[in-house]
Amino acid sequence: MIYSKANNILLLRKSSILLKRTISGVNLWQEELSTEIKHKIEDFWKDKLPNSKYIENCNDKDKCYVLPMFPYPSGNLHMGHVRVYTISDSVARFQRMNGKNVLHPIGWDAFGLPAENAAIDRQISPQDWTKFNISQMKSQLQTLGCSFDWDREIDTSDSNYYKWTQDLFLKLYDNGLVYQKNALVNWDPVDHTVLADEQVDENGCSWRSGAKVEKKMLKQWFVRTTSFAKNLMEGLDESILQDWRDIIKLQQHWIGECNGVNFDFKICGRDDFITLWTPYPEYIDHVKFVTVSDTHYIAKDFKVMTDCQKLDLILENPFTYEKLPIFVTNEIEYLPFTNSFVGIPSVCDKARQFALERKIQFKEIQKYTNNESVENARNSICEKAKLDGIGGYWTSAKLRDWLISRQRYWGTPIPVIHCANCGTQPVPRKELPVKLPFFPFEVKRGGLHLEECEDWVNATCPKCKSKATRETDTMDTFVDSSWYFLRYIDPKNENEMFSNDKVKKISPVDLYIGGKEHAVLHLYYARFISYFLHSIGVIPEKEPFKRLLVQGMVMGRSFKVKESGKYLPPDEVEIVDAKRNKAVETKTGKPLIMAWEKMSKSKLNGVEPTDIFKEYGVDTTRLLILADVAPTSHRNWNSNTFPGIINWQKRLWLTIQNFLNHRNNPPPPIPEDIFNKHEDYMFDSRNFYIKGTSFNYYISQQLSVALSKQQGLTNSLRKMPPYIFSNSLQFERALATQIILLAPMAPHFASELWAGFLQAPNRLNNSDEIYWNKTVLEQKWPETDYNYNLELVCQVNGIDTCEIKLQRSILDHLTLNQALLLAENETSMEKVFSKRKIINSTITIHKGIKGVLNLITSKSIQDKNDIDEELLAKKQ
């Protein structure tokens, strides 16, 4: 229904809707809002909040996949968890109220070294420790009021899940994207496992044990992620990616410029090879030597005595079978992040000089003379390499394949069997999952390794049926998390990873929410797996995540003794000057370093969510974590900011109290002109704050601004006299809107406010915009009225230039040509149309919110002359 401010609404004011009230709450409207009442509200509503689930085979609603990164089950939520899951829940509830078919799942990234070490310390199994932690954290998430679809819950350490992680490994294996080779790795001597480079700190110590990391040669499993490097780099330019911002640069930096090709060269006399990168794949037939730096793993096998030493080792060119010498030298200038060089003297001056100095024979060749011949030669050699399984993919010099081997117990077993007769053999799919054996637990730290389980290790070769042994390495946990978002779609499928048809209906993820610390490796591996699965026809989209919301960290105030670096708890500190970050130790008076740092137990600046729930209430905690700063910014957890949210809740509570009082005890009327003035004000306020809140809930993803817009609406409501509370249709509409806008962020509290709102007699709104017999979370999201004026923002090269006011009924259906005609008539746009060349123009309509017309222009000669004249005038 369109509500007109000019309409005579007295008849509507006299009407009422007589429906049986079925929605009730704690009904403490005579009480002042306190933490105790908040707890009663949350206890009452926690099992009554509608938890709409994703409906499969639903064709009358648009899908929306809202995915927060799943947590490692450490046993307790921290405030970072509270932030990410409050954000995701608010967005999921918002989308449901906007009529979307929402998938909002949760699970557990349960494998890994921390769980194993914690279990050993407690002398219990990692299985039991993980299950206990999951139960603890699940209870806390349910207390937080998150509307997850718990029927889709997954646990990466459950064999029903890792069976399909193993199947994914075999898919990669079948397509030549998994291999095993010797590698020089980071070895933790305490935890007895390989560490990724990112798990070694700047001092060369392990991120977990603190031990000095050693370099060790081990035969390791790799996934050939470089085979998709160029595709992954080009995919970062796809229009499907929204709000990736600086994450695109991080991904680009990680991948690097894909201006060369990797090839595998066999080491003669060994069951091993080295991977070599060259920018000249078309001339790979003409390689005459290879050099490596003294940091290369091959050099570690030899005692290098000179600045340039020829090794007693020969490589074989896989295309010509020519035998090639290897030199260890630092005389060659290696590219950044590389430690090998492919010598092709006939095309490379650096290689020519080295060959001449070392008297390495080579012949001059006829170089390719045009781009077409180069391209044909490159394509030919790369296709041959791909067919032979020895590389041939464009990648950067610095990018490395994914080392997935881990030597510890608590991980997904690699489904491979080693046979003396048949070599390495994949486990037949019918024998999946290869389950972890159970360990007896009288074990010291660093002592859980699959190789110790002899009964498990001994196996039968699937090919020749002779005695064989299982692979004892487990997979990096990044493999588990590289595809989990797909399993959510079909978590109980016992026949395949997921149904292709189901994935087609919901992928890609519409909004992925998580921390920036996962913006490189996890996103890179997840993108790689998606590109791979797309290439074999398993999923419809290459990119797994359409839109990102990278939330900032929750920071706590820390206090550190300057002299020793020891952290102190807040109760041993006296803050001298908070603004200048000055504090002293209470006992000694020693000056302290006071700073905002990421919350952690070691820094004694953490806050337990359960304590905050008890002190302030769950919904107040949710509002506090969303308030003040954008989700993408770091959030300083400071109690000085709490009163604003707490007082706002009290004002909302008082508003419902006043509403009930004035509806039950009508106040004396006010003059009609004053009444109409207030009615117009409420009409404008309702529409203004709907468009602002809706825009910031999802389009701009500025939930803190969406919250502040709601506070603005509360201020408008609180200004109204008693008669407006009791007799104004527009006030009733605005109050209903207020509660509905709040509901995704504070579902328990909003449900109670709504229950109070429904208790009021003499209802005035007889349209279909309110479902009087349903809870607040079952309401439709409020819309701006069709006769309300919205803005068409006119931009020039992305810069706002002017705004044109249009009724929503017009703006919602505005075409590009119509918008251009309107813009031409604006004074501030005259020069743009008359003196600049418009290269492109686009229009974006956010229905019921605003429109954006953007003109891309180039400066004309006349425009330049105008600027020159202005500069000359200024000089004179």
Side-chain angles (χ1 to χ4, degrees):
M1 174 183 284
I2 297 176
Y3 289 89
S4 171
K5 294 183 282 185
N7 286 347
N8 185 340
I9 58 173
L10 292 177
L11 290 175
L12 283 174
R13 295 209 313 274
K14 292 178 181 178
S15 68
S16 65
I17 302 171
L18 300 176
L19 288 175
K20 182 180 179 181
R21 300 185 186 94
T22 58
I23 310 299
S24 63
V26 297
N27 201 25
L28 295 172
W29 296 109
Q30 303 306 314
E31 306 286 336
E32 184 178 339
L33 184 65
S34 63
T35 300
E36 183 183 357
I37 287 179
K38 290 179 187 177
H39 288 322
K40 289 181 179 179
I41 289 169
E42 287 155 7
D43 287 342
F44 178 86
W45 285 103
K46 65 181 180 181
D47 298 323
K48 300 177 181 66
L49 298 179
N51 191 11
S52 302
K53 298 176 181 179
Y54 174 71
I55 305 168
E56 295 182 356
N57 302 316
C58 175
N59 298 318
D60 59 345
K61 288 184 177 183
D62 292 336
K63 68 92 178 178
C64 185
Y65 190 172
V66 179
L67 179 66
M69 291 183 182
F70 64 168
Y72 160 70
S74 57
N76 289 291
L77 294 183
H78 54 65
M79 293 308 294
H81 290 133
V82 172
R83 191 178 201 194
V84 68
Y85 299 124
T86 298
I87 291 169
S88 79
D89 187 58
S90 298
V91 172
R93 291 186 185 278
F94 166 83
Q95 292 288 20
R96 289 192 196 100
M97 295 174 81
N98 276 277
K100 300 287 181 65
N101 186 18
V102 176
L103 176 61
H104 184 221
I106 193 67
W108 312 98
D109 193 7
F111 271 138
L113 188 59
E116 184 177 324
N117 282 342
I120 292 170
D121 290 343
R122 292 161 178 80
Q123 290 296 289
I124 61 175
S125 72
Q127 290 89 338
D128 290 341
W129 173 246
T130 299
K131 286 178 182 177
F132 173 77
N133 286 344
I134 287 174
S135 67
Q136 291 282 99
M137 293 180 72
K138 182 174 181 178
S139 176
Q140 288 181 303
L141 285 174
Q142 289 170 331
T143 299
L144 188 58
C146 294
S147 58
F148 293 124
D149 189 341
W150 290 105
D151 290 343
R152 296 176 182 272
E153 181 183 5
I154 60 173
D155 168 0
T156 60
S157 67
D158 187 323
S159 60
N160 291 322
Y161 181 88
Y162 70 70
K163 169 183 179 178
W164 301 110
T165 304
Q166 292 171 340
D167 181 73
L168 174 61
F169 177 94
L170 295 180
K171 282 182 168 66
L172 292 162
Y173 186 94
D174 292 343
N175 285 273
L177 296 178
V178 169
Y179 63 90
Q180 194 178 26
K181 65 170 288 189
N182 287 321
L184 192 65
V185 297
N186 302 310
W187 181 258
D188 187 323
V190 172
D191 282 331
H192 292 187
T193 189
V194 167
L195 299 174
D197 288 341
E198 294 72 28
Q199 296 169 326
V200 181
D201 67 20
E202 63 273 13
N203 299 315
C205 296
S206 168
W207 70 315
R208 286 289 176 188
S209 70
K212 196 73 175 178
V213 170
E214 301 170 356
K215 289 294 183 180
K216 191 172 185 178
M217 188 70 70
L218 290 175
K219 198 164 189 179
Q220 300 282 278
W221 285 98
F222 292 84
V223 176
R224 204 182 289 273
T225 49
T226 52
S227 61
F228 281 87
K230 189 176 182 182
N231 290 336
L232 288 165
M233 177 64 91
E234 292 172 348
L236 294 169
D237 294 327
E238 293 288 336
S239 60
I240 190 176
L241 302 183
Q242 300 175 28
D243 294 319
W244 279 55
R245 298 185 180 93
D246 59 330
I247 305 305
I248 286 180
K249 291 181 180 178
L250 292 174
Q251 289 279 304
Q252 288 172 334
H253 179 73
W254 179 259
I255 296 169
E257 185 182 358
C258 298
N259 55 355
V261 177
N262 277 342
F263 296 106
D264 295 337
F265 281 57
K266 189 178 185 306
I267 302 174
C268 295
R270 291 190 187 181
D271 182 20
D272 200 4
F273 62 90
I274 66 172
T275 299
L276 299 171
W277 180 90
T278 176
Y280 309 114
E282 65 274 25
Y283 297 112
I284 198 69
D285 289 356
H286 303 282
V287 177
K288 295 302 173 184
F289 66 90
V290 170
T291 72
V292 297
S293 75
D294 57 9
T295 62
H296 196 284
Y297 81 89
I298 281 184
K300 301 299 179 182
D301 291 343
F302 299 88
K303 189 172 183 180
V304 179
M305 305 294 291
T306 64
D307 291 339
C308 183
Q309 181 170 320
K310 185 178 179 181
L311 298 182
D312 186 19
L313 205 63
I314 300 295
L315 293 182
E316 181 180 271
N317 187 319
F319 302 98
T320 64
Y321 306 110
E322 183 179 355
K323 302 302 185 283
L324 306 173
I326 307 178
F327 295 85
V328 177
T329 180
N330 291 323
E331 292 178 5
I332 290 285
E333 184 180 350
Y334 298 98
L335 291 175
F337 307 102
T338 69
N339 56 6
S340 64
F341 173 74
V342 177
I344 310 178
S346 53
V347 296
C348 172
D349 290 339
K350 183 165 60 173
R352 176 186 292 270
Q353 182 179 348
F354 186 89
L356 291 173
E357 290 174 356
R358 300 293 177 276
K359 297 181 179 180
I360 299 171
Q361 298 298 312
F362 67 93
K363 293 180 180 179
E364 299 295 343
I365 62 170
Q366 183 70 41
K367 296 180 183 178
Y368 296 105
T369 56
N370 58 63
N371 290 338
E372 184 178 355
S373 60
V374 169
E375 197 67 23
N376 289 337
R378 286 178 170 179
N379 290 339
S380 175
I381 202 74
C382 287
E383 285 306 311
K384 186 178 188 315
K386 291 173 188 176
L387 287 173
D388 293 343
I390 56 169
Y393 298 94
W394 285 89
T395 185
S396 68
K398 69 175 184 176
L399 191 64
R400 299 291 177 265
D401 283 333
W402 181 8
L403 192 164
I404 66 167
S405 286
R406 297 296 180 266
Q407 287 66 46
R408 289 294 292 266
Y409 165 75
W410 193 234
T412 298
I414 294 176
V416 162
I417 290 174
H418 300 284
C419 175
N421 301 320
C422 306
T424 299
Q425 296 295 315
V427 172
R429 279 183 166 80
K430 64 182 180 180
E431 294 180 16
L432 298 182
V434 177
K435 291 187 177 183
L436 286 171
F438 188 80
F439 254 102
F441 272 85
E442 291 182 2
V443 188
K444 293 182 180 180
R445 187 175 183 182
L448 292 185
H449 301 277
L450 286 174
E451 61 191 14
E452 299 170 25
C453 301
E454 292 184 13
D455 291 343
W456 183 87
V457 171
N458 294 327
T460 301
C461 174
K463 190 173 183 181
C464 71
K465 307 305 178 185
S466 62
K467 290 182 179 180
T469 58
R470 293 190 184 280
E471 173 60 55
T472 57
D473 281 355
T474 54
M475 295 188 211
D476 176 14
T477 56
F478 276 123
V479 183
D480 307 318
S481 60
S482 69
W483 73 282
Y484 76 109
F485 50 92
L486 294 166
R487 186 62 178 175
Y488 279 139
I489 298 170
D490 196 12
K492 294 181 174 59
N493 194 325
E494 297 180 358
N495 301 313
E496 54 188 344
M497 293 173 70
F498 44 77
S499 160
N500 293 9
D501 290 337
K502 288 182 180 180
V503 168
K504 285 177 184 176
K505 290 180 180 178
I506 189 68
S507 68
V509 173
D510 293 281
L511 179 62
Y512 196 29
I513 306 164
K516 198 168 186 176
E517 64 270 25
H518 303 298
V520 178
L521 292 183
H522 164 63
L523 273 185
Y524 173 70
Y525 296 138
R527 292 182 67 230
F528 164 77
I529 290 299
S530 285
Y531 272 61
F532 163 66
L533 292 175
H534 174 76
S535 73
I536 61 174
V538 175
I539 60 175
E541 302 282 349
K542 289 186 292 187
E543 288 294 342
F545 312 119
K546 183 176 179 182
R547 194 175 189 194
L548 294 183
L549 195 164
V550 181
Q551 97 280 353
M553 292 184 290
V554 181
M555 315 287 277
R557 189 175 264 154
S558 66
F559 306 95
K560 184 168 60 173
V561 180
K562 280 186 178 181
E563 298 171 356
S564 63
K566 177 186 176 183
Y567 283 94
L568 298 179
D571 58 4
E572 296 180 15
V573 172
E574 180 186 346
I575 297 176
V576 179
D577 188 336
K579 290 184 179 179
R580 296 184 180 180
N581 286 336
K582 289 187 176 181
V584 296
E585 185 176 6
T586 306
K587 289 181 180 179
T588 65
K590 290 182 179 179
L592 302 175
I593 299 171
M594 187 167 81
W596 291 101
E597 296 185 85
K598 183 181 178 181
M599 286 186 178
S600 78
K601 292 179 181 178
S602 63
K603 294 174 183 175
L604 304 177
N605 67 340
V607 174
E608 286 295 329
T610 302
D611 295 339
I612 301 298
F613 295 164
K614 288 177 181 177
E615 186 172 357
Y616 297 102
V618 169
D619 279 6
T620 302
T621 305
R622 288 172 61 116
L623 294 172
L624 289 171
I625 206 74
L626 294 175
D628 299 328
V629 297
T632 52
S633 300
H634 293 330
R635 172 74 164 84
N636 292 342
W637 190 253
N638 188 345
S639 59
N640 293 339
T641 66
F642 293 3
I645 290 298
I646 294 168
N647 291 332
W648 178 42
Q649 283 188 284
K650 288 180 177 179
R651 294 202 310 277
L652 288 167
W653 185 259
L654 185 58
T655 302
I656 297 298
Q657 286 180 326
N658 295 155
F659 182 65
L660 287 168
N661 181 43
H662 298 320
R663 280 292 178 94
N664 284 294
N665 304 287
I670 58 177
E672 188 167 338
D673 61 332
I674 297 177
F675 176 90
N676 289 336
K677 182 180 177 181
H678 288 313
E679 190 82 339
D680 289 347
Y681 178 76
M682 292 314 305
F683 173 89
D684 286 333
S685 291
R686 174 186 174 276
N687 283 290
F688 178 80
Y689 289 113
I690 284 175
K691 71 170 183 175
T693 302
S694 299
F695 179 80
N696 287 287
Y697 248 114
Y698 192 70
I699 296 170
S700 72
Q701 299 190 139
Q702 299 294 314
L703 291 174
S704 58
V705 180
L707 192 151
S708 68
K709 294 291 183 185
Q710 295 174 54
Q711 292 174 317
L713 180 54
T714 306
N715 293 337
S716 295
L717 290 165
R718 297 295 304 155
K719 290 178 183 177
M720 294 298 100
Y723 189 75
I724 296 298
F725 271 73
S726 67
N727 285 67
S728 167
L729 169 64
Q730 296 303 332
F731 181 91
E732 183 180 88
R733 295 181 72 216
L735 181 55
T737 293
Q738 170 84 83
I739 304 169
I740 295 169
L741 295 179
L742 175 67
M745 293 183 175
H748 311 87
F749 186 60
S751 295
E752 185 65 23
L753 295 178
W754 188 256
F757 172 75
L758 294 184
Q759 289 181 27
N762 306 316
R763 295 172 184 166
L764 303 175
N765 194 340
N766 61 359
S767 74
D768 62 355
E769 71 180 10
I770 294 177
Y771 301 139
W772 292 99
N773 60 343
K774 292 186 178 182
T775 63
V776 67
L777 289 164
E778 296 171 291
Q779 301 299 312
K780 293 181 295 186
W781 192 254
E783 292 190 10
T784 51
D785 292 314
Y786 281 93
N787 60 336
Y788 179 72
N789 285 336
L790 298 171
E791 294 81 28
L792 172 65
V793 179
C794 298
Q795 297 180 338
V796 179
N797 299 323
I799 300 172
D800 291 359
T801 304
C802 70
E803 289 183 354
I804 302 172
K805 294 281 188 180
L806 294 170
Q807 281 195 357
R808 179 191 170 180
S809 58
I810 297 172
L811 184 64
D812 277 5
H813 306 288
L814 197 68
T815 65
L816 176 59
N817 287 336
Q818 290 170 336
L820 288 169
L821 288 172
L822 289 169
E824 278 188 77
N825 292 324
E826 290 294 309
T827 304
S828 58
M829 298 289 285
E830 283 180 0
K831 282 188 178 180
V832 176
F833 284 95
S834 62
K835 297 183 178 181
R836 292 191 187 185
K837 182 180 180 182
I838 297 175
I839 301 170
N840 191 24
S841 57
T842 60
I843 188 168
T844 303
I845 302 294
H846 302 294
K847 290 190 174 182
I849 299 174
K850 72 174 184 179
V852 179
L853 172 68
N854 187 26
L855 305 180
I856 306 299
T857 71
S858 63
K859 290 184 177 179
S860 66
I861 294 174
Q862 181 63 46
D863 210 18
K864 182 179 182 301
N865 290 339
D866 288 346
I867 294 171
D868 291 342
E869 288 176 11
E870 286 178 15
L871 291 172
L872 183 62
K874 285 180 180 178
K875 286 181 180 179
Q876 293 174 344

